[in-house]
Amino acid sequence: IQQGKLGICYVLAGLSALVESPKRIYDVFITKETNVAHYYSVKILSRGVWREVIFDDYIPMIISRGEEEIAFSCGDDEEIWMMILEKAWAKPYGSYSMIELGFGEESLHDFTVAPTETAEFKKTKKTADEIWEII
């Protein structure tokens, strides 16, 4: 996953964790195949309630040095699942700009309902082994 122009590395961190279990990504999608209507449907836990988020597959583009490029996140080859989930994450908030800045556990929890916990190590005197034991 490569972060695009949007400051949502926290969402991408959650999605990166999901890659470790592809079934979890698959389970988020209600629409499992591309379709002629160009719409997708995914499920997201929003404010404590499972919600179906329906949206089109139009992905924002920017023109840079005369060439079109995807404005936001992208993956390897022809993969679009992360762009679709990025757009799905933005929709309940009303826009892409409303999802800038956040914490990784937010998206991970809302895509999976997995319990999350935050540990801060900025001002710790713990060894690397002690930190890994906590993780």
Side-chain angles (χ1 to χ4, degrees):
I1 297 176
Q2 296 178 347
Q3 183 174 349
K5 308 292 183 215
L6 194 61
I8 62 159
C9 60
Y10 73 101
V11 175
L12 300 180
L15 293 177
S16 293
L18 288 179
V19 171
E20 296 298 318
S21 178
K23 182 180 180 331
R24 287 193 181 256
I25 294 170
Y26 184 80
D27 289 346
V28 168
F29 282 86
I30 296 169
T31 305
K32 306 288 188 190
E33 304 280 332
T34 57
N35 59 72
V36 295
H38 298 279
Y39 278 84
Y40 289 91
S41 177
V42 301
K43 60 182 179 180
I44 295 177
L45 187 71
S46 177
R47 297 177 183 94
V49 176
W50 277 113
R51 300 184 193 278
E52 179 179 9
V53 180
I54 301 170
F55 52 95
D56 60 48
D57 65 357
Y58 294 100
I59 304 298
M61 304 290 283
I62 58 173
I63 298 177
S64 177
R65 295 182 212 117
E67 291 190 27
E68 256 188 4
E69 60 183 62
I70 295 169
F72 303 127
S73 304
C74 61
D76 295 336
D77 303 322
E78 302 289 319
E79 294 178 350
I80 63 167
W81 65 268
M82 81 294 305
M83 288 182 276
I84 296 296
L85 292 182
E86 181 179 50
K87 187 169 184 173
W89 179 256
K91 183 151 184 189
Y93 294 95
S95 71
Y96 282 106
S97 64
M98 294 300 290
I99 62 170
E100 288 197 292
L101 305 175
F103 299 97
E105 67 269 10
E106 294 171 3
S107 63
L108 184 59
H109 177 265
D110 288 1
F111 282 125
T112 67
V113 193
T116 61
E117 185 176 333
T118 301
E120 190 168 320
F121 299 108
K122 288 181 183 176
K123 299 175 184 173
T124 186
K125 298 199 186 288
K126 295 187 182 306
T127 67
D129 289 336
E130 291 171 324
I131 291 173
W132 277 112
E133 183 62 33
I134 292 168
I135 293 173

